[in-house]
Every structure is written in structure tokens, then in C-alpha cells.
Amino acid sequence: MKKISWITSDYYLDVDLPIINELQHTFMIDWQIVISYNSTINYEAYVSNIIQKKDHLRISFVYQKYRNRDLRNLFFYYWILRKAKCFSPDFYYLSHLAMPYGIVLYKVLLPMEKTIAACHNVSTPQGASSEKFTSIYIDRWIKTFKNIQVFSNGQKKILESKYQNKNILMAPLAIKDYGQPSVTIDKTALGTIRFLYFGNIVDYKRVDLLIEAGNLLYEREGEKFRICIAGNCNDKIWKEKYAPLIKYPEIFDLFIKRIPNEEVANLFAGSHYFVMPYQDIAQSGAITVAFRYNLPTIVSDIEPFKEFVENNVTGITFKSEDANDLADKMLYLINNHAVEYSRLANAQASFVEDKLSLKSIVNRYINYFNKI
């Protein structure tokens, strides 16, 4: 069996976890999971609850003690790479950017021809945190490595147009599974319709647009619906930028925090529709959670979503950055819920079965790795 040294950041753990759970049957894997500075999440418990550990997989958690830009992280990253090399792998897989020092250490310490680097955002979304620096770092990241993985056809096209002679693996994100929910509702019944936003609250995801649409919808229809906003946001930013936009707090359920993994399934099980008002994105992990819990999606009509949502077939699209159009689409679903919910949910389930099965995704990794 070929051997892989695999390094994952905690913020990409959900991406790699289902893949490694399957790849361990084909490869011997030494998996280092890097836990971010000041993280309060029990990732060890999360992984142990999901992974079906076998003899060919060993897992270690390494905890970052300093902020990203602290020079002492040079020794931390060096130690991680020394451990990876001690496994004597056939190749390395990097899902840890290790900003801002990682590129230099990777280039010096690892054999580039045997290293695969994951790139989740070839193009940095407009409004992303530290957008300019991240864009520069990702450009250097891609130029450093020959073997690159991307997670959508859109990002593959951008990569091919901007960079030459890259050996590209395109494998979509696997469906994110947070376990079985402990609550259920009859989603076909008429009554209060619940719309859900889930994920980090940052500029380009346009939660402000959803709040504005909620205000407009309330002024038209009253309390026929609720909007749940669940995700992490800097407390000062939330209070200064988002909270003042809420005119009618009675229609909003707010969970402004890092949502524990064990609470995610119930959020989706207790909602009817998943709303993604983004103005830009490379690809989204959140949409795969909606797919897992068969929650019909309302997305902006930006190009990256077109791979996953066909308007009025597998979901509903609205004009990007247009709160009025979003409110119109939400109102349509409220008024036609008896018919539309089941139709959209069934079409979404068929799409997932045909296009996003875990077996087909894992086979892409295996075929690519065997050619390295």
C-alpha cells in the first residue's frame, strides 16, 4: 500500500474527514490535524465519533500555541513537517496553508513532485477577511506547487486560465454529515415557514441582504415566517453592522456564535429552506450540509452556484445583491409551500445521488494519487 502524510487545518477538517475515512482502505495514512490558536472546539471528540479507524490510519492532533504571524510558529510548522517526513510517505497532501510562513517551509522541506496542495479558493471572494493578503498568498501557493486540488469546475477553469503546467485534481466537496438530528418537524405541513442561514458571517456572504429581505417580507406578509441566522461573527461587527438593520426582531432567531457540531443537524432538521445570499464564493461547504439534510436552497445567481442549483429545479435562485428579488422568492415559497417544498426536495435528493456520491468523489482521489 502507498503511504500518505496528510496535514489538515481544523477549518478544513470537515472537508477531509469523510475522504480519509474511505481512503484508509486503499492507502496507509499518517494524518496530522492542526488545531488553531485559541480554538475552543473539541475536535478530538468530533473525529472519534465519525472516523471508523483501521490499522492503516493513524491520527494525531497538534495544537498551535501562538497567533499565525508569531515567528515561533516557524518551529511549530517545522516540527509538523519533520513528523510527516518520518512516516517515509510516497507522497504528501497539504490541506494546511500555514499562513504566513508555510510556503517557505514546504518548499524547502518537502519534495514538490510528490506533494499535493489543496486550494479551496483559487480566486479570493470579494469582501473576504484579509482579502488582499490572502489573494497574494494563494497566488504564491499555487505557483509553488505543481500538483493542485480544487473543489469545483469553476475554480478549475480559473486555475487553468491563470497558471500553466499544473497537474490538477478536481474533486467536489463531499456531503457534510453532522449526524442524525434529535428533532423532527412535518416539513410539508402548512404553518410558519422557517428560512435558515448557516455559516460564518463575513461581508461577501451578505447576511445584511437577508435581513433586509426579511424586513421587506414582514411588511408584506406579517408573521408567516421566521429567519434563523446561525453563525460566527465578531461581536463588535455584528452590533455595529448587522444588528441595526433588524427592524422586526420578532421574526429573527439569532445564534451569533460558532455553532457546535452537535447542534448543526437540529438547525437543519427544524428549517424548511436554506438561504445563501452570497455576492461571491469559490465553492461552499455550507451548501453540502443542506444537501445532507435535504433542505431546498435559495441562492444568488452567481456562477459558482450554477454547478449545484438549477433555478426552479433543484432550488431557487434570485438576482445577486437584490433584496427585493430575494424577498419575492421567499414570498413565493411561503405561498406555494404545499407544492414547492416536496418538488424541490425530491429534485435535490436525485441530484445528490447522481452527482455527489461519496464513492465517486473518493475514486477521483484514488485515481489521481495512483498517478503521482
Side-chain angles (χ1 to χ4, degrees):
M1 298 177 74
K2 288 186 177 181
K3 299 166 66 177
I4 311 173
S5 275
W6 195 300
I7 305 172
T8 297
S9 298
D10 53 10
Y11 43 86
Y12 290 138
L13 179 58
D14 287 341
V15 176
D16 292 350
L17 184 56
I19 303 303
I20 285 182
N21 201 24
E22 296 298 321
L23 287 180
Q24 63 175 319
H25 305 300
T26 307
F27 302 100
M28 296 181 65
I29 303 174
D30 178 72
W31 189 20
Q32 295 187 75
I33 301 171
V34 183
I35 308 301
S36 302
Y37 172 76
N38 271 354
S39 172
T40 58
I41 297 175
N42 188 347
Y43 286 107
E44 296 192 32
Y46 175 52
V47 172
S48 66
N49 286 335
I50 294 177
I51 204 79
Q52 300 170 11
K53 190 172 182 181
K54 305 294 183 181
D55 292 338
H56 298 143
L57 172 65
R58 73 183 189 193
I59 304 171
S60 56
F61 295 84
V62 288
Y63 289 82
Q64 186 173 330
K65 296 180 180 179
Y66 311 107
R67 297 180 184 275
N68 286 343
R69 297 191 181 186
D70 194 305
L71 282 170
R72 287 171 289 186
N73 284 318
L74 282 167
F75 300 100
F76 174 65
Y77 299 145
Y78 175 79
W79 177 79
I80 290 172
L81 294 179
R82 283 294 302 271
K83 184 176 181 294
K85 296 184 75 171
C86 286
F87 189 58
S88 300
D90 293 283
F91 51 91
Y92 302 81
Y93 184 96
L94 305 177
S95 187
H96 178 50
L97 293 171
M99 289 194 285
Y101 308 116
I103 291 174
V104 174
L105 289 174
Y106 289 144
K107 191 170 184 177
V108 170
L109 296 175
L110 297 184
M112 291 293 98
E113 72 280 1
K114 296 198 299 181
T115 301
I116 302 106
C119 187
H120 287 262
N121 296 310
V122 178
S123 57
T124 303
Q126 294 181 2
S129 177
S130 304
E131 179 183 345
K132 185 175 181 179
F133 172 77
T134 301
S135 180
I136 293 170
Y137 190 87
I138 292 300
D139 176 66
R140 293 177 179 173
W141 176 266
I142 295 172
K143 288 177 178 176
T144 298
F145 300 100
K146 177 178 177 60
N147 305 309
I148 304 284
Q149 180 182 358
V150 294
F151 298 85
S152 72
N153 286 319
Q155 290 296 288
K156 181 183 179 184
K157 290 177 182 177
I158 295 172
L159 179 61
E160 290 173 331
S161 68
K162 294 178 64 176
Y163 305 92
Q164 303 300 315
N165 301 317
K166 299 299 179 182
N167 180 28
I168 303 171
L169 164 63
M170 199 302 285
L173 299 172
I175 299 298
K176 289 190 178 183
D177 190 350
Y178 288 92
Q180 287 297 115
S182 60
V183 300
T184 57
I185 62 172
D186 181 359
K187 295 193 179 184
T188 61
L190 297 179
T192 300
I193 304 302
R194 299 182 64 86
F195 297 94
L196 172 65
Y197 171 91
F198 168 77
N200 288 331
I201 299 170
V202 292
D203 287 352
Y204 68 88
K205 296 187 178 182
R206 296 305 304 271
V207 171
D208 59 312
L209 204 72
L210 176 58
I211 294 172
E212 184 180 351
N215 292 335
L216 292 170
L217 193 54
Y218 180 80
E219 290 167 358
R220 297 180 194 175
E221 291 298 314
E223 296 187 25
K224 291 184 178 180
F225 70 99
R226 295 190 71 82
I227 295 174
C228 175
I229 299 175
N232 192 42
C233 184
N234 176 277
D235 187 59
K236 182 179 179 182
I237 292 175
W238 175 262
K239 289 179 179 179
E240 292 182 355
K241 180 173 183 177
Y242 297 101
L245 299 177
I246 297 175
K247 295 181 181 178
Y248 311 105
E250 59 268 32
I251 61 169
F252 289 92
D253 297 322
L254 303 176
F255 303 94
I256 311 304
K257 61 178 183 177
R258 181 71 178 265
I259 307 300
N261 291 323
E262 60 271 17
E263 296 179 13
V264 174
N266 284 347
L267 276 176
F268 282 79
S271 303
H272 296 91
Y273 300 98
F274 187 57
V275 187
M276 305 185 75
Y278 300 12
Q279 70 180 26
D280 195 11
I281 190 66
Q283 63 276 317
S284 171
I287 199 170
T288 71
V289 187
F291 289 164
R292 159 62 180 89
Y293 296 102
N294 200 198
L295 208 63
T297 52
I298 309 169
V299 302
S300 55
D301 61 356
I302 58 176
E303 193 66 31
F305 283 139
K306 294 179 182 179
E307 291 184 40
F308 304 101
V309 178
E310 181 181 354
N311 186 36
N312 207 35
V313 178
T314 55
I316 299 291
T317 64
F318 71 94
K319 186 177 179 181
S320 178
E321 303 182 58
D322 189 333
N324 281 289
D325 194 39
L326 174 55
D328 288 344
K329 298 303 170 59
M330 294 168 72
L331 177 59
Y332 171 79
L333 290 173
I334 291 170
N335 290 337
N336 296 278
H337 179 73
V339 174
E340 290 299 289
Y341 173 80
S342 295
R343 184 182 70 83
L344 293 170
N346 290 337
Q348 183 194 72
S350 296
F351 172 82
V352 170
E353 184 176 354
D354 293 342
K355 305 293 186 181
L356 296 177
S357 72
L358 182 58
K359 181 179 179 181
S360 67
I361 294 172
V362 170
N363 281 339
R364 294 190 184 210
Y365 283 81
I366 292 173
N367 294 334
Y368 182 88
F369 289 169
N370 281 332
K371 295 177 183 177
I372 296 294

